[in-house]
Amino acid sequence: MTNIGRVMLAQLRSIGSRNVCLPAGAVPGGPWVARGGRTYRTGASGSTSEAITRARAVRSVTSLRGYQEVGRADLFLQVIPFASPEDARAAVTELRSLPRTMPKSKGVSDVGEMRTVTPPPVTGAGHVEAAELPFVLDGEHARQLTLWCAAGQTVVVGALGGRAEAVRWPQLAEIVEAQVASLG
């Protein structure tokens, strides 16, 4: 089965699951508008890591949601429950190592290399990794900031992209902290 087929099947199997990503009105800063969201069974991409295998065994459902702060920034949140805190911590490293691509979008050019940076502190998260991806948006310097965090047995991924002066690490850290806090 293809990756697309696995994801579609995983989405069908997650019907009835609640998306645990923050509603747009609860995202700090903004105003943010939700731009789609979905849930799917964790591991739909076909990963065979031990942490993903155990997450599938406990019927974990991944939530994701995109947001837009009109004219300023785009935000992506993903929440992935695992079977244990140890699995969540291992998954941060695994997720961080996956190849990342910049979606093809009008006005985006000169996409640079993703580079690891020192992560800002994220209250409620035990392990945090961070990276920055520079690019050009409509002729202006822009960047995507990404945080991967293990909070208990859950991984939260947050990515904030836009013009360089509009997206800041403290803003992304505050958003990810709010997502972590909402998980209880």
Side-chain angles (χ1 to χ4, degrees):
M1 182 180 293
T2 66
N3 275 351
I4 293 172
R6 279 194 287 270
V7 170
M8 289 174 62
L9 182 60
Q11 284 180 302
L12 284 172
R13 288 182 176 161
S14 72
I15 290 176
S17 297
R18 185 177 70 87
N19 190 321
V20 298
C21 292
L22 292 170
V27 177
W32 293 97
V33 176
R35 295 287 185 213
R38 65 180 178 201
T39 59
Y40 58 89
R41 294 283 299 278
T42 301
S45 66
S47 172
T48 57
S49 76
E50 291 181 15
I52 291 289
T53 300
R54 285 189 288 272
R56 274 197 298 264
V58 297
R59 304 177 76 73
S60 169
V61 173
T62 295
S63 297
L64 58 99
R65 185 168 286 147
Y67 310 82
Q68 186 175 39
E69 185 182 24
V70 179
R72 291 187 46 85
D74 292 308
L75 172 66
F76 169 84
L77 290 174
Q78 184 175 26
V79 178
I80 312 164
F82 283 88
S84 70
E86 295 77 20
D87 283 353
R89 184 177 172 88
V92 165
T93 303
E94 179 183 353
L95 290 166
R96 170 67 182 91
S97 70
L98 293 174
R100 299 282 174 213
T101 59
M102 176 66 76
K104 294 190 189 294
S105 184
K106 184 179 178 185
V108 173
S109 64
D110 297 328
V111 178
E113 294 292 320
M114 185 170 280
R115 64 182 181 91
T116 299
V117 297
T118 302
V122 177
T123 303
H127 177 69
V128 183
E129 294 189 27
E132 183 173 327
L133 177 69
F135 60 99
V136 174
L137 178 62
D138 296 328
E140 296 184 39
H141 293 288
R143 62 188 180 160
Q144 176 183 304
L145 312 177
T146 306
L147 285 174
W148 296 265
C149 306
Q153 65 186 54
T154 302
V155 171
V156 174
V157 181
L160 180 65
R163 287 178 170 68
E165 72 278 356
V167 295
R168 299 279 183 237
W169 284 109
Q171 178 188 17
L172 181 56
E174 181 183 14
I175 291 167
V176 170
E177 286 174 354
Q179 179 63 70
V180 168
S182 77
L183 300 174

